[in-house]
Amino acid sequence: MGTTLPSEDVLVRMQRDLKRALQRDPKHVRWTMVIDQGKCTGCHACTLGCVAENKLPPGVVYRPVIEEEVGRYPAVRRRFLPRPCMHCQNPPCTKVCPVTATYANAQGVVVVDYNRCIGCRYCLVACPYSARTSDFGEWYTKETPDAPSVLLGRTAAAQSYEAHPSTEYGRRWPQRGTGSPIGNARKCHFCLHRLSAGMLPACVTTCTARATFFGDRNDPESLVYHLLGSPRVFVLKPELGTHPAVYYLK
Amino acid sequence: MQRTRFSLFVGLAVLGLIVGSWGMVQRLIHGLNPVAFGSYVPWGLWVAFYLLFLGLSAGAFLVTILAYVFDMERFHRLGRLSAYTVLIVLVCEVIFITLDLGRMSRIYRFLVTPNFNSLMTWMFVLFNAMLIVYALKTFFLIRGDLVAWSKDPQRKGRGFYRLLALGKSSYGPDDYGRDYRIVHGLSLISLPVGLLFYGTNGAFFAILMNRPLWNSALTPLLFIVAAVLSGGALIAFLTHVFLKDDELVTSLGRAVLYCLLVFLFLEALQFFVGYQANVLSVVAALNLIAFGDYWWTFWIFHLGLGSFIPLLILLFQKDSPGAVAWACALIVLTFLAVRFNFVIPDLAVYKLEGLEHTFYHPRLRTHYTPNVNEWLVSVWVISLGLLIFLLGSRWLPVINSDQRGGMKHAH
């Protein structure tokens, strides 16, 4: 066996970190994500993993991967920037919400109370990272003809995926009809429903390049704590003073 | 207003309600699904209309302040018309913004879980304060005539007027004096409330640090001037149509001219500073206004029809009330272009480079064109406002006013 093989997959370590964090006093936990741009291959698996996990409808995306072209021909390179919600420690979106439907929870995760949100979209306008999208009630199967068959047709096709209730925020949101979260602002929530069940966020586990790291930055033993000490660390738009909880490695 | 013209406008309003009802039905059944805006341009035509109506109330607001706070006699004739105009315009405004909510049935949340750090909450508070103040002001301004009309044997619907007068059967000089004092008091309250209301709407945009075109101390000022300009133009036009007071129309025309010049100066400043500072996103937004897909709304509608022609008329035909009224009508009719060009361009510039190439969906684009549904709903709301205004102007004593609380007017 070659010496270059890792002794432990980072997912295993992060899983252990997560278990430890869940045993700590929740008030002292600060969930943090670190994304290594040097490792990201732009496969978009995180985007799709997130869409599947949260049953996101068309036009709603929590974690797109921005593709950038750097340099001029022939010295051209491609760079990828996965962009979840930054879960800012000084979030501009929560301040503008007129009905306190969005706020940072005890662990610093910015959440949306779907049953309180009035859908004014002021938070979408205020977010400097365009990390929020509104659910306009779109369906993937909108254009599918409704055939009487059991196997084919809109109804059957919808039931196989998009009519499944989403489990965001640890609740079963009803099958898509007219109720929330349709009409609401929606965003990445670090898969809080998975965390509470002892699972890492979907984007972390689906990252084929192991470029996304997650954990409690207040835990000196955690992987993210160590990564944050790297000189490669940067945040998006630091000049705005939002203090994101999502960090990048150059 | 002549009977034929009145009937024509009522017919137009009814037609607008019928045509627009298709859009309203779609909106009420399918929520925001039928609209064209998305997540990167989250506000569209209805917010532009909201801002337009917000401004249209400002001129009438100022007239009521001049008439009842500063007691300027010449504006007393306009008092009731102005108060009623503010009321109708505020109603249209709130319908537009309510329809723009993704979950409008939760509007009660403003009362249950308000966030006083949000300027939208303050807009809600101030809007309601304005609505209550102007509903009361209109009532106390017309109460004398309501009582007189309820006793006029030649008038139909006397029971209705008695109901509106809250059962009051006599109205003398003492009542008039008391009502006038109440109106004066309400106007005193509405002065700070109104100024805060119009200023807050500008600040609502100005505080967003990630929106460089809006994030300027100039924005609230621009909002106030825009409101006074469009609202002043509206009240000048209405004075010409309903009161036929030539002197008042020409005086208001001069005020509108000054407002137009100040507004154009501030707008020019915004462009000058934006281009000179050369901040990429600001330049991109300014370029969208001046050279984007909707360049014609800026150059032809706003600067041409809504500024240059009215400017010429107000400068060279300033003593002709008819010409002044038409100039003002042009300003009002084209002001939607100003509001549209304020709301959309800053939203339509990506704030994260490359975002537009990553995840394709029509809701995730910055190109926005209002669709038929949005226009139909807008036609419905405007038609409703027009109809209420016209019916009120005919069947409520809101047009004329005199020193005795309208007793003369009521025969």
Side-chain angles (χ1 to χ4, degrees):
Chain A
M1 192 179 285
T3 53
T4 53
L5 279 176
S7 56
E8 181 183 61
D9 191 310
V10 287
L11 279 176
V12 177
R13 169 148 186 210
M14 285 190 284
Q15 192 66 51
R16 210 168 47 238
D17 291 350
L18 176 63
K19 207 170 179 178
R20 204 169 47 251
L22 290 174
Q23 286 166 352
R24 297 180 67 197
D25 184 347
K27 281 187 296 194
H28 299 133
V29 174
R30 287 293 176 272
W31 297 124
T32 299
M33 188 170 276
V34 180
I35 299 169
D36 191 341
Q37 274 198 296
K39 286 186 175 175
C40 180
T41 58
C43 70
H44 298 271
C46 55
T47 308
L48 299 180
C50 172
V51 168
E53 173 65 34
N54 295 300
K55 308 288 184 293
L56 300 184
V60 176
V61 61
Y62 291 173
R63 189 185 160 104
V65 179
I66 297 170
E67 302 184 7
E68 295 171 284
E69 222 168 65
V70 188
R72 299 185 68 172
Y73 181 83
V76 181
R77 286 159 295 148
R78 260 175 112 62
R79 201 164 58 189
F80 306 102
L81 185 95
R83 196 244 43 214
C85 169
M86 297 293 131
H87 296 283
C88 306
Q89 294 161 62
N90 180 24
C93 54
T94 59
K95 287 176 201 139
V96 300
C97 177
V99 294
T100 57
T102 184
Y103 53 90
N105 74 5
Q107 291 85 43
V109 178
V110 178
V111 296
V112 180
D113 184 340
Y114 286 159
N115 284 333
R116 191 178 284 190
C117 172
I118 59 171
C120 67
R121 304 182 298 287
Y122 198 12
C123 57
L124 270 73
V125 177
C127 175
Y129 308 99
S130 304
R132 287 172 174 251
T133 45
S134 185
D135 189 336
F136 287 90
E138 301 282 355
W139 285 72
Y140 287 104
T141 48
K142 190 178 173 183
E143 304 296 327
T144 309
D146 209 354
S149 155
V150 178
L151 294 174
L152 299 169
R154 183 170 57 223
T155 311
Q159 276 170 357
S160 72
Y161 172 68
E162 62 184 321
H164 285 198
S166 135
T167 54
E168 290 176 273
Y169 302 109
R171 284 192 50 180
R172 282 175 69 84
W173 295 98
Q175 293 183 342
R176 286 178 71 71
T178 53
S180 282
I182 289 175
N184 292 143
R186 301 184 68 175
K187 60 179 279 298
C188 155
H189 36 72
F190 276 170
C191 284
L192 283 173
H193 57 290
R194 285 173 63 97
L195 293 180
S196 61
M199 293 189 286
L200 290 163
C203 56
V204 178
T205 54
T206 52
C207 180
T208 57
R210 300 289 187 266
T212 302
F213 309 99
F214 186 82
D216 173 14
R217 67 171 178 274
N218 280 355
D219 175 7
E221 290 180 48
S222 71
L223 177 60
V224 290
Y225 178 89
H226 287 287
L227 290 171
L228 290 181
S230 165
R232 293 162 59 209
V233 166
F234 72 100
V235 293
L236 296 183
K237 302 193 178 188
E239 71 280 4
L240 296 179
T242 53
H243 303 298
V246 173
Y247 297 84
Y248 291 87
L249 297 176
K250 276 180 198 156
Chain B
M1 188 185 260
Q2 289 170 350
R3 194 174 183 81
T4 46
R5 207 179 284 177
F6 176 81
S7 304
L8 176 75
F9 279 112
V10 168
L12 272 176
V14 171
L15 184 68
L17 278 176
I18 294 168
V19 172
S21 59
W22 175 248
M24 277 299 287
V25 168
Q26 295 293 314
R27 165 66 187 89
L28 295 175
I29 293 176
H30 300 294
L32 288 182
N33 188 266
V35 302
F37 48 79
S39 291
Y40 294 157
V41 182
W43 292 333
L45 185 68
W46 296 341
V47 172
F49 266 116
Y50 162 78
L51 295 177
L52 175 70
F53 278 87
L54 168 90
L56 292 183
S57 66
F61 157 76
L62 269 187
V63 167
T64 61
I65 296 298
L66 294 174
Y68 303 112
V69 175
F70 298 104
D71 213 17
M72 292 171 76
E73 288 284 331
R74 63 193 310 197
F75 290 107
H76 275 206
R77 279 201 73 200
L78 269 176
R80 316 158 162 225
L81 179 66
S82 299
Y84 186 63
T85 304
V86 173
L87 204 57
I88 299 299
V89 166
L90 286 179
V91 168
C92 289
E93 188 188 321
V94 76
I95 296 176
F96 267 117
I97 210 63
T98 306
L99 287 170
D100 195 66
L101 296 179
R103 302 215 64 90
M104 59 182 178
S105 60
R106 289 195 194 135
I107 200 159
Y108 70 91
R109 278 281 168 197
F110 277 101
L111 298 171
V112 182
T113 54
N115 172 13
F116 289 107
N117 287 324
S118 169
L119 282 179
M120 193 181 274
T121 305
W122 285 107
M123 275 166 59
F124 176 83
V125 170
L126 292 165
F127 170 83
N128 282 292
M130 286 284 281
L131 198 66
I132 291 166
V133 164
Y134 274 88
L136 289 172
K137 207 187 267 189
T138 308
F139 172 73
F140 284 111
L141 279 169
I142 66 173
R143 186 156 74 152
D145 275 350
L146 286 174
V147 173
W149 286 15
S150 72
K151 293 193 298 185
D152 184 351
Q154 290 177 333
R155 192 168 286 279
K156 286 179 188 167
R158 290 190 297 277
F160 172 68
Y161 293 118
R162 194 168 301 123
L163 191 72
L164 284 183
L166 300 181
K168 194 169 174 59
S169 56
S170 62
Y171 195 86
D174 290 348
D175 294 308
Y176 169 74
R178 194 181 57 240
D179 281 1
Y180 187 84
R181 282 194 297 278
I182 293 173
V183 169
H184 178 70
L186 287 169
S187 300
L188 280 175
I189 296 168
S190 69
L191 177 60
V193 170
L195 288 176
L196 279 173
F197 177 58
Y198 296 111
T200 303
N201 275 278
F204 176 84
F205 294 93
I207 56 147
L208 298 171
M209 61 183 175
N210 60 318
R211 303 281 168 192
L213 197 59
W214 298 345
N215 186 215
S216 155
L218 192 66
T219 304
L221 182 62
L222 203 64
F223 255 67
I224 292 172
V225 177
V228 175
L229 167 62
S230 58
L234 176 70
I235 206 71
F237 177 73
L238 293 178
T239 305
H240 177 71
V241 173
F242 288 101
L243 296 182
K244 297 280 178 202
D245 187 330
D246 294 349
E247 198 189 328
L248 208 48
V249 172
T250 48
S251 308
L252 286 169
R254 273 193 285 280
V256 169
L257 172 66
Y258 294 132
C259 288
L260 181 59
L261 288 171
V262 174
F263 181 74
L264 290 174
F265 175 68
L266 291 178
E267 206 171 47
L269 267 185
Q270 191 182 33
F271 271 84
F272 176 76
V273 172
Y275 278 119
Q276 284 298 314
N278 206 21
V279 176
L280 280 180
S281 49
V282 176
V283 171
L286 292 175
N287 281 344
L288 268 183
I289 297 172
F291 313 111
D293 287 349
Y294 299 106
W295 62 269
W296 47 274
T297 62
F298 178 71
W299 293 103
I300 298 175
F301 275 80
H302 169 43
L303 287 184
L305 294 171
S307 301
F308 184 65
I309 293 175
L311 202 63
L312 291 182
I313 296 173
L314 293 171
L315 277 173
F316 300 110
Q317 293 288 318
K318 59 177 182 273
D319 296 323
S320 161
V324 168
W326 276 110
C328 291
L330 267 179
I331 293 172
V332 173
L333 290 173
T334 56
F335 217 73
L336 179 64
V338 176
R339 299 310 197 177
F340 190 81
N341 278 323
F342 176 79
V343 177
I344 308 303
D346 206 327
L347 295 172
V349 176
Y350 279 105
K351 298 299 181 283
L352 268 184
E353 203 182 330
L355 196 58
E356 70 272 34
H357 303 302
T358 179
F359 195 90
Y360 185 82
H361 190 273
R363 301 281 184 201
L364 300 174
R365 312 308 299 165
T366 53
H367 187 82
Y368 167 70
T369 305
N371 65 12
V372 176
N373 177 270
E374 288 169 73
W375 282 111
L376 285 177
V377 168
S378 305
V379 165
W380 191 89
V381 179
I382 293 165
S383 301
L384 182 72
L386 180 64
L387 189 64
I388 299 173
F389 187 84
L390 288 169
L391 296 182
S393 74
R394 181 55 55 106
W395 286 305
L396 288 175
V398 293
I399 298 302
N400 291 318
S401 174
D402 55 61
Q403 291 304 298
R404 295 174 57 222
M407 295 291 279
K408 275 185 206 161
H409 174 65
H411 315 290

